[in-house]
């Protein structure tokens, strides 16, 4: 307790220092007076007695310092003194302080902003109760399972293609009823587009299927009404949905009476029973939906791509993600062993096994935080690249400020030498200089937080402007962001101050104490070492700038290549929009008639040159594929190709050339419609109890007329004209049942990009579209956006329950498809410019300091006959040598770094000579400008004034 009391007393003295100093002074004066009186009594004069008292007492200042050490916490008192002195010194150099603080604020702020986005996208905990106990089921095998249907909604988007997390609903139910290691098991799938009506005009909403125990397993609550329960999964349960909080605010105006209201989903009446809490968007990061619906609706609210009608009972239909909550005290390994027994029973020993024993199916349980990555996996690489760039910017900023501190400390050599002469140790000097550096970094970090806030808003707006929806992640500061900023600030202070502090502490005291140290050092420098710390810092800045510049140049060239790429069709003046009549209850024949009528009315609009439609819009990221069996090919050996169903006049509307044969005619659509009706009827009959295959003598429907592209011809029909040839339906392990009309090639179309610009042109088959949803393409003579109002009016007149979606121009479609490339090129270019400016500021600062330090030398040169242009050449040559050295080192470093960017480039090599040369030339040109200002200042030196100052 006595030690604690002493420490508390010392801490108290720290805040009453003036009073303690007064008491100490009076006490010391009292001691000296008593000693002086004693010497006077011995016969000394008052003056002699006073001097003798001081000699007898010893060092007064040393005694005072010893007393101060005893009465206070020395390290804390010295820290406060260092801070006060640092503030005074920085206040005496406001220009230096402002430049250093702003430089560090930019570096720290940029890093904090990017890390805030990374934290929101990749590091934030799932919005679930106790997420550490939540696991996701995944599987892997040597061969694909024998499935009738397989859907993946991107929840577990893993680079490991052998790992999947889609399962069947029967497997989920078996887990829920038989597993003993889980306190709850839930399943979910989606979201998928659903037609919603009953709350104003019909629109497309996104609904996610969830099991009745989803909310209880995840731990999500509702702010209004109730959540879904296992009772809602019963086939006889009244249809119910729970609204997402944001959707409730946007569409229902946050009206509490929305709970209990009835709306229609794909013409099915459902009741709104609750509104989810605002903090719960989706379990998968980056995904969002407008409402949650129970599995009991899956057979009535269906996607148009679902083939089987028995998704809830078919063990071979894998489409849901299964999540489990571990019981307290149960490890993942224990739960995995328990679930594996059930998994093998369902897939190996069922009536129709999904796997064989040789497939070695394996079940694995993963922490939900690790397994569910969703949209975050799409932008993770981009964020990691940008974080690397801003990390380089911060290093350049640190080197820049370190150079400024080094130059400034050179002008303080005399001050520091005097302090060391008076007894200050080198460690004390280093601590004082490090305190100044940390003060600069802390102030820069505080200002950097403001820069980070602005940067986060700007980055979010930049990302959202390229998407057709708000940024799906919520960016907000948390303990990780604050810890990151604190660590970066501390590291920045240390990096900026350690080299100048150590150099200043090792300075030679003798020349530093001379009357004109600067001139002496300036002259002596000529014979000293040619490489100085300031030079090394400038070279490091230039080298890092080259790395950032080259990386940005490669990304800009990639964007330019993609923007100028010929997609194989004319993307100008084309309006796109989608509609899905199936969601409004249309049948195939009704859909065909609707599309025909709308196409005629659109073509009659003023300013419309032609109109058509297709299953997917070109370059939308969506695509379909199928297999065909070519004549003469071995059995079960199929040709794979992309497929695109298109409407009448699609090729002239998109200006895709037909190189051989012909385009589709109305007769082709009539034939395709008849064939489709026969095939659809046969497929519907196959859902009934199995029947024998139709005899081969029964007439087959007419083959489906198709066009193929050049890539298809090159791959499957080299050196021959396939027009008029027949292709059969794909052959599988099971005998074919039902009609097998095959396909008749009627024409060859030119090659076009289908789903993405980056993807190579795929062999493609074009078929007549006689059902399904469609995207219309309207080619206009002018601005296609001017047609939007008329298009909406025509569709509303045809059917007010047909909502439009994805309404944009083809050019906007391409721009949106390139949003990642555009975002990376813009951000990397911005940070490259910032790095270039900082590096050149560092070069300018070094040369300015050199000119000021060598003023006497330059004046003597001019007095001895040196021409002004020779002095300018002297300064510029020094700066360019540093810039060239940095460029050479930076080029080598860039070659190592750009190797890692190859997956982000398109038609650009990581070692592209033009980009490397352009980046280095740009840096040297800017460095030349930075050198010219100090060089012109050297030319203006008056030799008489320079020599008089000595």
């Amino acid at each position: 307790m006595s030690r604690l009391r002493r420490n508390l007393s010392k801490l108290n003295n720290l805040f009453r220092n003036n009073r303690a100093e007064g008491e100490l002074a009076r006490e010391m004066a009292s001691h000296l007076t008593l000693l002086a009186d004693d010497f006077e009594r011995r016969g000394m004069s008052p003056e002699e007695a006073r001097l003798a008292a001081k000699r007898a007492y010893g060092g007064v200042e040393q005694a005072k310092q010893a007393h101060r050490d005893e009465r206070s916490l020395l390290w804390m008192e010295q820290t406060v003194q260092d801070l006060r002195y640092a503030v005074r010194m920085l206040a005496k150099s406001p220009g230096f302080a402002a430049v250093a603080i702003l430089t560090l604020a930019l570096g720290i702020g940029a890093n904090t902003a990017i890390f805030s986005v990374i934290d929101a996208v990749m590091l934030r905990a799932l919005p679930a109760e106790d997420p550490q106990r939540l696991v996701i089921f995944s599987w892997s095998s040597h061969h694909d399972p024998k499935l009738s249907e397989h859907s993946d909604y991107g929840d577990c988007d893993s680079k490991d293609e052998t790992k999947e997390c889609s399962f069947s609903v029967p497997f989920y139910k078996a887990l829920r009823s038989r597993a003993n290691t889980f306190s709850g098991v839930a399943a979910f799938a989606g979201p998928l587009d659903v037609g919603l009506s009953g709350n104003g005009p019909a629109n497309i909403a996104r609904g996610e299927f969830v099991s009745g125990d989803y909310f209880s397993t995840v731990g999500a609550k509702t702010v209004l009404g109730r959540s879904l329960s296992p009772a809602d999964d019963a086939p006889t349960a009244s249809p119910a949905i729970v609204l997402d909080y944001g959707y409730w605010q946007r569409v229902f105006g946050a009206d509490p009476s929305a709970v209990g209201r009835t709306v229609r989903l794909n013409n099915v009446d459902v009741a709104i029973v609750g509104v989810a809490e605002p903090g719960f968007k989706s379990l998968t990061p980056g995904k969002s939906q407008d409402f949650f619906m129970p599995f009991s609706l899956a057979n009535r609210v269906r996607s148009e791509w679902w083939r089987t009608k028995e998704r809830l009972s078919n063990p071979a239909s894998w489409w849901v993600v299964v999540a489990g909550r571990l019981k307290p005290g149960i490890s993942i390994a224990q739960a995995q062993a328990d679930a594996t027994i059930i998994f093998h029973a369902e897939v190996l020993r069922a009536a129709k096994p999904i796997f064989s024993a040789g497939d070695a199916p394996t079940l694995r349980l993963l922490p939900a935080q690790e397994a569910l990555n969703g949209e975050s996996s799409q932008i993770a690489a981009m964020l990691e690249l940008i974080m690397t760039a801003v990390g380089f910017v911060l290093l350049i900023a640190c080197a820049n400020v370190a150079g400024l501190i080094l130059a400034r400390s050179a002008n303080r050599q005399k001050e520091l030498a005097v302090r060391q002469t008076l007894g200050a140790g080198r460690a004390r000097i280093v601590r004082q200089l490090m305190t100044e550096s940390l003060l600069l970094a802390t102030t820069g970090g505080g200002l950097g937080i403001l820069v980070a806030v602005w940067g986060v808003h700007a980055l979010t707006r930049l990302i959202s402007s390229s998407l057709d929806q708000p940024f799906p992640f919520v960016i907000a500061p948390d303990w990780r962001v604050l810890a990151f900023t604190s660590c970066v600030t501390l590291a920045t202070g240390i990096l900026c101050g350690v080299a100048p502090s150590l150099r200043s502490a090792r300075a030679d005291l003798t020349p530093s104490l001379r009357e004109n140290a600067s001139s002496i050092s300036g002259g002596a420098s000529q014979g000293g070492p040619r490489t100085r710390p300031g030079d090394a810092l400038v070279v490091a800045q230039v080298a890092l700038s080259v790395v950032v510049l080259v990386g940005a140049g490669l990304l800009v060239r990639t964007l330019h290549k993609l923007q100028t790429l010929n997609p194989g069709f004319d993307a100008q003046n084309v309006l796109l929009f989608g509609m899905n009549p199936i969601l409004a209850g249309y049948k195939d024949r009704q859909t065909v008639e609707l599309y025909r009528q709308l196409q005629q009315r659109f073509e009659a609009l003023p300013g419309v040159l032609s109109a058509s439609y297709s299953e997917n819009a070109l370059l939308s990221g969506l695509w379909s594929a199928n297999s065909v069996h070519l004549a003469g090919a071995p059995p079960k050996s199929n040709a794979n190709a992309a497929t695109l169903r298109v409407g009448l006049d699609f090729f002239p509307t998109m200006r895709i050339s037909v190189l051989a044969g012909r385009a589709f005619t109305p007769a082709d659509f009539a034939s395709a419609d008849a064939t489709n009706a026969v095939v659809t009827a046969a497929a519907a009959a196959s859902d009934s109890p199995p029947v024998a295959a139709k005899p081969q003598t029964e007439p087959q429907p007419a083959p489906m007329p198709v066009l193929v592209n050049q890539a298809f011809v090159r791959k499957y029909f080299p050196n021959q004209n396939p027009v008029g040839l027949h292709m059969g339906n794909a052959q599988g392990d099971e005998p074919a049942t039902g009609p097998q009309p095959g396909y008749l090639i009627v024409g060859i179309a030119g090659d076009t990009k289908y789903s993405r610009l980056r993807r190579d042109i795929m062999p493609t088959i074009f078929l007549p579209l006689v059902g399904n949803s469609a995207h219309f393409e309207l080619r206009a003579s002018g601005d296609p956006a001017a047609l939007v109002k008329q298009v909406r009016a025509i569709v509303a007149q045809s059917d007010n329950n047909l909502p439009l979606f994805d309404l944009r121009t083809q050019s906007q479609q391409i721009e949106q498809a390139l949003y990642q490339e555009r975002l990376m090129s813009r951000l990397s270019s911005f940070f490259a410019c910032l790095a270039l400016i900082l590096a050149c500021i560092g070069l300018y600062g070094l040369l300015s300091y050199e000119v000021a330090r060598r003023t006497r030398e330059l004046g003597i040169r001019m007095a001895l006959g040196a021409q002004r242009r020779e002095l300018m050449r002297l300064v510029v040559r020094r700066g360019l040598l540093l810039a060239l050295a940095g460029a050479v080192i930076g080029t080598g470093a860039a070659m190592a770094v750009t190797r890692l960017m190859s997956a982000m480039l398109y038609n650009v090599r990581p070692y592209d000579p033009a980009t490397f040369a352009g980046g280095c030339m740009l840096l040297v040109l800017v460095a030349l400008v930075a050198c010219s200002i100090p060089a012109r200042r050297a030319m203006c030196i008056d030799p008489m004034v320079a020599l008089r100052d000595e």
Side-chain angles (χ1 to χ4, degrees):
M1 287 298 294
S2 60
R3 185 173 182 179
L4 177 61
R5 256 195 312 270
R6 283 200 307 271
N7 287 333
L8 290 176
S9 176
K10 290 180 178 182
L11 186 62
N12 182 55
N13 288 332
L14 186 65
F15 298 99
R16 52 188 294 272
N17 189 58
N18 292 335
R19 181 179 174 183
E21 284 293 320
E23 293 175 352
L24 176 60
R26 287 191 295 272
E27 185 176 351
M28 298 296 293
S30 175
H31 280 289
L32 290 174
T33 300
L34 291 174
L35 284 174
D37 291 344
D38 184 51
F39 283 118
E40 283 186 29
R41 285 193 294 270
R42 296 180 186 179
M44 291 185 182
S45 66
E47 183 63 23
E48 292 175 342
R50 185 176 62 82
L51 294 175
K54 288 184 177 181
R55 286 194 297 270
Y57 188 82
V60 175
E61 291 302 322
Q62 288 88 340
K64 285 184 177 181
Q65 188 60 45
H67 184 273
R68 293 187 189 106
D69 294 347
E70 282 297 320
R71 77 165 187 240
S72 63
L73 296 172
L74 182 60
W75 64 270
M76 185 175 291
E77 183 177 358
Q78 289 180 346
T79 300
V80 173
Q81 291 173 356
D82 290 345
L83 283 173
R84 288 174 179 170
Y85 187 77
V87 171
R88 288 199 303 271
M89 293 303 296
L90 294 179
K92 291 171 66 175
S93 304
F96 160 78
V99 171
I101 290 172
L102 287 176
T103 300
L104 294 178
L106 287 173
I108 295 174
N111 277 267
T112 302
I114 299 299
F115 182 80
S116 298
V117 180
I118 290 178
D119 174 59
V121 173
M122 303 171 62
L123 304 178
R124 190 158 297 169
L126 298 179
E129 180 183 345
D130 195 8
Q132 292 78 14
R133 291 172 48 211
L134 204 62
V135 295
I136 298 296
F137 291 74
S138 66
W139 60 269
S140 61
S141 65
H142 294 332
H143 301 94
D144 292 336
K146 300 178 180 66
L147 301 178
S148 61
E149 204 162 15
H150 183 204
S151 300
D152 182 357
Y153 294 94
D155 297 276
C156 309
D157 192 3
S158 173
K159 295 180 181 179
D160 184 1
E161 296 184 356
T162 64
K163 204 176 296 177
E164 292 274 359
C165 63
S166 294
F167 293 89
S168 66
V169 174
F171 171 69
Y172 147 71
K173 292 180 177 179
L175 274 174
R176 188 181 61 182
S177 61
R178 291 155 53 187
N180 299 317
T181 52
F182 301 96
S183 60
V185 179
F188 57 95
L192 67 155
D193 291 342
V194 176
L196 188 146
S197 58
N199 182 55
N203 61 85
I204 297 294
R206 294 171 62 79
E208 180 161 10
F209 281 111
V210 298
S211 61
D213 42 14
Y214 176 80
F215 283 86
S216 59
T217 301
V218 171
K221 307 292 191 299
T222 57
V223 292
L224 288 176
R226 66 172 179 87
S227 60
L228 298 177
S229 66
D232 293 304
D233 280 339
T236 57
S238 299
I241 62 173
V242 172
L243 298 180
D244 172 75
Y245 185 85
Y247 185 72
W248 171 64
Q249 285 189 315
R250 292 192 312 271
V251 177
F252 292 86
D255 184 4
S257 65
V259 176
R261 191 180 302 175
T262 298
V263 294
R264 293 178 66 80
L265 303 180
N266 290 6
N267 290 322
V268 177
D269 289 335
V270 299
I272 300 172
V273 298
V275 177
E277 59 185 342
F280 184 76
K281 290 283 186 183
S282 173
L283 195 59
T284 304
K287 293 184 71 174
S288 60
Q289 63 288 310
D290 299 324
F291 56 87
F292 303 89
M293 50 187 175
F295 281 136
S296 58
L297 282 172
N299 288 333
R300 288 175 284 177
V301 181
R302 299 168 47 81
S303 167
E304 62 178 299
W305 311 113
W306 293 1
R307 294 189 297 271
T308 177
K309 294 182 179 179
E310 301 299 330
R311 280 205 157 203
L312 297 179
S313 58
N314 185 0
S317 178
W318 289 22
W319 62 291
V320 301
V321 179
V322 180
R325 180 170 293 279
L326 300 176
K327 287 183 177 180
I330 298 296
S331 66
I332 291 182
Q334 291 173 307
Q336 182 169 301
D338 182 25
T340 297
I341 297 173
I342 302 172
F343 178 68
H344 285 165
E346 292 290 317
V347 301
L348 292 175
R349 294 186 289 276
K352 291 185 176 180
I354 305 296
F355 290 105
S356 64
D359 295 331
T362 303
L363 184 74
R364 186 182 177 193
L365 270 59
L366 298 173
Q369 185 80 44
E370 174 187 338
L372 299 176
N373 46 30
E375 296 297 320
S376 62
S377 63
Q378 305 298 319
I379 59 177
M382 176 186 69
L383 292 177
E384 291 169 355
L385 177 65
I386 298 302
M387 192 68 200
T388 303
V390 296
F392 283 163
V393 170
L394 180 60
L395 289 177
I396 294 171
C398 290
N400 197 319
V401 174
L404 292 174
I405 295 175
L406 194 63
R408 181 168 173 268
S409 63
N411 294 328
R412 297 175 60 188
Q413 286 300 314
K414 187 172 182 179
E415 169 211 336
L416 299 176
V418 170
R419 295 181 65 185
Q420 290 187 60
T421 303
L422 294 177
R426 291 188 173 182
R428 188 75 176 82
I429 297 295
V430 169
R431 189 169 70 180
Q432 171 61 51
L433 296 177
M434 287 298 297
T435 300
E436 295 180 18
S437 176
L438 289 171
L439 180 61
L440 285 173
T442 303
T443 309
L447 187 59
I449 292 177
L450 300 179
V451 175
V453 171
W454 172 84
V456 166
H457 287 304
L459 188 59
T460 303
R461 287 197 303 271
L462 187 61
I463 296 175
S464 299
S465 65
S466 302
L467 302 173
D468 57 356
Q469 59 185 1
F471 189 54
F473 299 93
V474 179
I475 303 176
D478 57 15
W479 67 269
R480 282 183 296 270
V481 176
L482 295 177
F484 174 83
T485 306
S486 301
C487 292
V488 167
T489 301
L490 179 62
T492 299
I494 295 174
L495 287 174
C496 292
V498 64
S501 300
L502 294 176
R503 180 174 173 82
S504 300
R506 292 197 303 263
D508 190 357
L509 300 183
T510 302
S512 300
L513 290 172
R514 293 178 182 176
E515 187 65 25
N516 200 345
S518 64
S519 63
I520 294 174
S521 65
S525 69
Q526 300 307 310
R530 299 184 60 87
T531 302
R532 289 179 284 274
D535 298 352
L537 289 173
V538 169
V539 170
Q541 292 179 64
V542 173
L544 291 172
S545 300
V546 169
V547 176
V548 181
L549 270 174
V550 169
L554 293 174
L555 293 175
V556 169
R557 291 205 66 196
T558 292
L559 178 63
H560 177 71
K561 292 271 188 181
L562 290 170
Q563 288 178 329
T564 57
L565 181 69
N566 179 14
F569 61 92
D570 186 0
Q572 300 299 315
N573 298 334
V574 176
L575 179 68
L576 305 176
F577 57 91
M579 65 173 61
N580 193 344
I582 296 175
L583 301 183
Y586 281 67
K587 305 302 182 185
D588 285 348
R589 291 286 174 86
Q590 295 172 309
T591 301
V592 171
E593 182 61 22
L594 173 68
Y595 290 163
R596 186 186 64 80
Q597 293 178 2
L598 288 176
Q599 183 179 11
Q600 292 176 353
R601 297 188 64 180
F602 291 147
E603 289 179 335
L605 287 174
V608 175
L609 300 179
S610 61
S612 187
Y613 49 91
S614 58
E615 181 181 31
N616 298 313
L618 295 177
L619 300 181
S620 63
L622 303 175
W623 65 292
S624 302
N626 202 353
S627 299
V628 296
H629 187 263
L630 304 179
K636 302 180 184 179
S637 178
N638 299 316
N640 300 316
T643 59
L644 179 62
R645 300 179 184 275
V646 301
L648 190 64
D649 297 332
F650 173 79
F651 296 101
T653 298
M654 299 307 296
R655 295 182 178 171
I656 299 172
S657 56
V658 177
L659 305 176
R662 59 175 176 82
F664 291 130
T665 64
D668 292 324
F669 284 86
S671 173
D673 187 24
T675 299
N676 182 65
V678 175
V679 173
T680 302
S686 67
D687 288 339
S688 303
V691 295
K694 291 184 178 181
Q696 293 298 318
T697 56
E698 184 173 336
Q700 294 284 328
M704 186 76 69
V706 299
L707 277 81
V708 296
N709 68 348
Q710 291 172 283
F712 189 94
V713 175
R714 284 193 298 269
K715 184 172 183 179
Y716 297 116
F717 297 101
N719 304 319
Q720 64 174 311
N721 184 358
V723 175
L725 297 182
H726 180 271
M727 300 184 297
N729 292 85
Q731 297 181 2
D733 294 333
E734 301 293 332
T737 59
Q740 302 292 312
Y743 308 91
L744 178 65
I745 300 176
V746 299
I748 302 174
D751 283 338
T752 62
K753 294 285 186 177
Y754 183 176
S755 61
R756 293 183 177 90
L757 284 171
R758 282 180 174 267
R759 179 172 288 174
D760 293 336
I761 293 177
M762 302 174 288
T764 305
I765 300 173
F766 299 93
L767 303 92
L769 195 157
V770 292
N772 299 336
S773 60
H775 282 77
F776 272 81
E777 297 94 6
L778 274 62
R779 179 165 296 280
S781 57
D783 181 12
L787 302 172
V788 171
K789 186 175 180 180
Q790 301 173 71
V791 165
R792 289 188 182 277
I794 289 176
V795 174
Q797 291 170 9
S798 299
D799 190 339
N800 197 36
N801 288 323
L802 283 176
L804 302 184
F805 55 90
D806 295 342
L807 202 154
R808 59 176 72 95
T809 65
Q810 183 70 65
S811 299
Q812 291 172 335
Q813 178 98 302
I814 294 175
E815 286 299 305
Q816 182 175 326
L818 296 177
Y819 90 93
Q820 281 201 27
E821 288 82 358
R822 186 167 56 255
L823 182 65
M824 284 194 296
S825 65
R826 287 178 179 177
L827 289 177
S828 61
S829 298
F830 171 76
F831 291 123
C833 292
L834 182 59
L836 183 63
I837 292 171
L838 290 177
C840 290
I841 288 176
L843 181 59
Y844 164 79
L846 175 69
L847 294 179
S848 296
Y849 163 68
E850 286 287 316
V851 170
R853 187 171 66 88
R854 299 171 63 184
T855 298
R856 179 173 179 267
E857 174 201 339
L858 297 175
I860 293 174
R861 286 175 179 265
M862 294 184 67
L864 294 178
Q867 298 296 318
R868 295 183 182 273
R869 63 175 178 273
E870 293 176 353
L871 297 182
M872 183 174 185
R873 192 182 304 118
L874 179 68
V875 176
V876 171
R877 183 175 66 243
R878 175 168 167 74
L880 287 182
L881 285 176
L882 293 176
L884 289 174
V888 171
I889 296 174
T891 299
M895 286 184 175
V897 172
T898 54
R899 221 168 22 93
L900 307 176
M901 298 172 51
S902 56
M904 301 180 183
L905 305 179
Y906 181 81
N907 279 352
V908 179
R909 291 178 297 171
Y911 310 132
D912 182 53
T915 304
F916 275 75
C920 292
M921 288 178 60
L922 176 62
L923 188 139
V924 171
L925 288 175
V926 177
L928 183 61
V929 174
C931 296
S932 64
I933 301 175
R936 293 181 65 85
R937 188 179 303 159
M939 291 174 59
C940 297
I941 291 176
D942 188 341
M944 296 303 296
V945 174
L947 294 176
R948 189 183 304 124
D949 288 341
E950 296 299 315

